[in-house]
Amino acid sequence: MSKSMYVRSQRARDAALLLLALMLALAAYKAYTTWQKMDYYAKASAEQEAGRVLEAEDWYRQAEQITGFDYKNREIAAALEELRPVTELKRTMRSMLENVNAAAQVHDVPTLTKTYESYQALQKQYAGKEEAERKLLAETESAYPVGTRLTEAFTDAKEELMKSLDTAIAKKSFDNDTAVSYLTQIPAVFYKDERTKKQELAAKLKAYDQARLDTLFKNKPFEQVLAETAAIRKFYSTNEVQADWVLPLLDTYVQNTLAAQLKKNDLAAFIANAQLYLGNKELADAKSKASGYIQATMRSQFARAEQLAAARKFDEAVELYTALGAYKNTDKEIQALQQRRLESDPVQLLRKAAGDGNAKFTNVISAKSASGAAAYSAAGISDNQTIVWAQLGANQSISKTDIPVDRKVTVKSLQFSDSLSQRKLPVLLVETASASRKARYIAYEADGADLRKLLDVEADGFTQEKPGVLLIDNPLEERGAAAGQKATYEYQNGQYVFTKVKAELADILLTDLPKQKLGAAVRFQCSITAVEGATATVLLNGDVVLLTGSMKLKPGPAVITGTYTDKSRVMLGTPPQSATAYQVQVTAAAQ
């Protein structure tokens, strides 16, 4: 029992000692924090009294953070509230000054500009406040001279950036976009004013770009020149610089480059580069000298191609039109040129139709078609005694018709005679030798690939009286009725056939009528004495002429045209006496 009591006693003593130590420690900590807070407060008050408000605020903040007991808590809070506007302003100005000093070391214009804007906003803010606050700002700025340092920093940065552009021009090393951008960001007030800023920048950047573009023009291919110039323009646009000098410099370069290529007869390069330039809407001004030069040159080239075609230099014209096709589609011009080539050279058309580039032809003729789908026709006799008839369509389509000719037949001539067709189709008239007449005339009508013989007659010649009617001189025909005379052939059932002999019209005296052959066509003057029904009577030296027909005649002078058809004996007068009656079928009468 005694041992157990001893152990309990020992434990109680230890606990009491531990509690005592803890209480002593707490007392010591409280004494220390009390002293520390009092010290912080004293230092804060001293700093505030000395005018070092930022340092005073720091001590007041540290004293405020010590809690657990009340020592000057209200005084500390009041002091902090009193110092807040001042400390906020000074802290802002100090931060600005630090930013300016740091940016000035490396000419960091964006940071300087941002700080300048903040500084200007602060100035504007305080400009509308009470006198005491404006005075506070002035006092704060004397301690933190942000405005002065900004002027120094911008002036120094501007000078160094301008020098960097001069160095770039001297070294021909143009990677100074950052410097250019910084110069544009410097506020106008540090140039004096906006007008001065624009003038100074324009003078410096123009010199810089002249050197930069000159180097670019001399060392880079055309396409890259355009790309980099466009990038320069875009850069200036982004930085709100109206660089009016860039396009005129490019304009001169483009014109000189294209002129040099044209002088070397390198039309392909000229067109390729012209298209690159005109296709860049950021660079190509329709009113620029380069654009005008390109348009004038291309007009001249197209005119030259047409001149070559007019001079029948078709290969050169095709070559030029093909090259010009890179600038503007020339398919129609080339097609028209090929058409003109075939139209101007019937032998070439015949060879193309025959599929033999070396074929030889005689009696070659050609003509523009006045009828049908063909625009042009050519015909000729090939080596194998075949008439080749080629018809050229407006789209260069070629149709061909072969007309075999017996080797015993001598072809005298070929000619186109579309007027012989009653269907507005092309007609080829072949004139061959004849044993009994001056010639044999054979007319062929072409209806696409079909060939129809319109006329085949041997005669001494023929003329066309009117559409569908031919007057053929001394034709050789089966009945022989028209031999030695002129005969009428009319278009019937797709061909010309003999219809009648054409009587010759003779102007005679009435007294010569008895001397004419029956069937003769005559014209004479007379005086009609009587008209009874469809018959008129003319007295002729005791005989009579009886005029019949559908013409309405009346007594009196007349000019009669008709055919002497009959002669007979009749009884006339009182007492009746025998007389001769000459009958004329009237076809025309003038009274």
Side-chain angles (χ1 to χ4, degrees), residues 40-232:
Y40 288 167
Y41 181 79
K43 289 180 177 178
S45 297
E47 292 289 356
Q48 183 177 7
E49 187 177 348
R52 293 187 288 272
V53 293
L54 295 178
E55 291 80 357
E57 183 187 44
D58 288 340
W59 289 119
Y60 279 130
R61 291 293 182 196
Q62 292 185 58
E64 185 182 40
Q65 291 172 3
I66 299 175
T67 60
F69 62 94
D70 183 2
Y71 177 77
K72 302 287 186 179
N73 286 353
R74 282 182 292 181
E75 288 82 349
I76 292 173
L80 286 173
E81 182 62 25
E82 180 185 351
L83 290 175
R84 184 179 59 78
V86 181
T87 56
E88 284 183 355
L89 176 60
K90 291 194 173 185
R91 187 172 289 107
T92 298
M93 294 290 285
R94 183 174 68 182
S95 175
M96 287 184 182
L97 187 59
E98 289 172 352
N99 289 339
V100 171
N101 289 333
Q105 297 297 319
V106 291
H107 306 305
D108 183 359
V109 172
T111 298
L112 289 175
T113 302
K114 186 176 181 181
T115 304
Y116 172 76
E117 291 170 351
S118 298
Y119 174 72
Q120 289 297 105
L122 185 65
Q123 294 286 327
K124 184 177 181 180
Q125 176 186 346
Y126 273 81
K129 292 189 176 185
E130 298 295 330
E131 176 65 27
E133 290 174 302
R134 295 200 300 273
K135 183 177 180 182
L136 173 61
L137 177 63
E139 291 174 352
T140 304
E141 190 161 6
S142 65
Y144 304 100
V146 176
T148 301
R149 283 297 294 134
L150 279 170
T151 299
E152 295 172 350
F154 274 124
T155 301
D156 184 52
K158 174 188 167 187
E159 183 178 348
E160 289 301 316
L161 292 171
M162 289 289 194
K163 286 181 180 179
S164 72
L165 296 186
D166 291 334
T167 301
I169 293 173
K171 293 183 177 181
K172 298 186 183 301
S173 176
F174 304 97
D175 53 355
N176 295 66
D177 281 357
T178 299
V180 175
S181 177
Y182 282 3
L183 284 169
T184 64
Q185 293 177 47
I186 294 175
V189 67
F190 299 107
Y191 286 87
K192 182 182 177 183
D193 52 33
E194 189 65 38
R195 180 180 179 183
T196 304
K197 176 181 179 179
K198 289 182 177 179
Q199 289 176 343
E200 288 189 22
L201 283 180
K204 182 61 68 175
L205 295 180
K206 183 176 181 180
Y208 176 75
D209 284 333
Q210 284 177 328
R212 170 165 58 167
L213 291 174
D214 184 60
T215 300
L216 180 64
F217 296 160
K218 290 178 179 178
N219 298 288
K220 299 295 183 180
F222 191 87
E223 186 172 5
Q224 188 172 345
V225 167
L226 296 182
E228 293 194 22
T229 305
I232 291 171

Side-chain angles (χ1 to χ4, degrees), residues 326-344:
Y327 177 78
K328 171 186 172 184
N329 189 298
T330 55
D331 290 347
K332 290 184 178 180
E333 286 82 357
I334 292 175
Q335 183 177 356
L337 187 62
Q338 298 290 15
Q339 186 89 4
R340 288 171 64 179
R341 166 185 268 178
L342 293 174
E343 290 179 3
S344 67

Side-chain angles (χ1 to χ4, degrees), residues 375-511:
Y376 183 80
S377 296
I381 304 174
S382 66
D383 288 344
N384 62 359
Q385 199 65 7
T386 297
I387 296 175
V388 177
W389 183 5
Q391 298 183 69
L392 177 65
N395 59 351
Q396 294 186 57
S397 61
I398 298 176
S399 61
K400 179 177 76 78
T401 303
D402 291 336
I403 305 173
V405 179
D406 192 299
R407 291 190 176 276
K408 296 180 181 179
V409 173
T410 301
V411 177
K412 298 173 65 177
S413 70
L414 303 175
Q415 72 178 87
F416 293 112
S417 183
D418 294 354
S419 63
L420 294 179
S421 175
Q422 297 303 294
R423 298 192 296 163
K424 296 183 178 180
L425 295 174
V427 174
L428 176 64
L429 179 63
V430 181
E431 181 181 344
T432 68
S434 171
S436 57
R437 295 291 189 272
K438 289 184 178 180
R440 178 184 177 187
Y441 301 98
I442 310 172
Y444 296 95
E445 180 183 63
D447 186 2
D450 296 331
L451 197 66
R452 179 195 298 271
K453 185 184 288 187
L454 293 180
L455 175 69
D456 187 353
V457 63
E458 293 183 61
D460 290 338
F462 76 91
T463 57
Q464 186 170 13
E465 281 198 330
K466 59 183 178 180
V469 179
L470 302 179
L471 185 61
I472 297 180
D473 186 12
N474 190 22
L476 178 65
E477 39 90 25
E478 293 181 0
R479 290 165 293 180
Q485 303 183 68
K486 291 185 178 181
T488 299
Y489 277 59
E490 296 184 10
Y491 185 83
Q492 298 177 3
N493 299 321
Q495 62 182 346
Y496 286 90
V497 297
F498 171 80
T499 55
K500 61 182 178 180
V501 173
K502 177 73 171 181
E504 291 289 341
L505 179 64
D507 283 311
I508 61 172
L509 297 174
L510 178 61
T511 55

Side-chain angles (χ1 to χ4, degrees), residues 226-334:
L226 296 182
E228 293 194 22
T229 305
I232 291 171
R233 289 264 297 166
K234 184 176 181 181
F235 170 79
Y236 279 137
S237 177
T238 301
N239 287 275
E240 299 181 350
V241 176
Q242 192 169 352
D244 297 333
W245 54 85
V246 174
L247 287 184
L249 292 172
L250 177 68
D251 189 30
T252 300
Y253 161 77
V254 170
Q255 189 172 354
N256 290 341
T257 300
L258 295 179
Q261 290 169 340
L262 198 61
K263 188 175 181 180
K264 295 178 182 178
N265 293 321
D266 193 351
L267 185 59
F270 178 97
I271 292 176
N273 288 335
Q275 292 289 65
L276 285 173
Y277 172 70
L278 295 176
N280 193 321
K281 301 305 180 185
E282 294 296 321
L283 302 177
D285 183 352
K287 297 180 180 179
S288 69
K289 292 181 180 179
S291 295
Y293 174 70
I294 291 171
Q295 293 167 7
T297 299
M298 296 314 297
R299 284 195 299 269
S300 175
Q301 290 297 319
F302 274 98
R304 178 169 168 262
E306 182 57 32
Q307 289 169 359
L308 290 171
R312 306 179 77 174
K313 297 179 180 180
F314 296 113
D315 289 336
E316 294 180 50
V318 168
E319 182 181 1
L320 181 53
Y321 272 127
T322 301
L324 293 174
Y327 177 78
K328 171 186 172 184
N329 189 298
T330 55
D331 290 347
K332 290 184 178 180
E333 286 82 357
I334 292 175

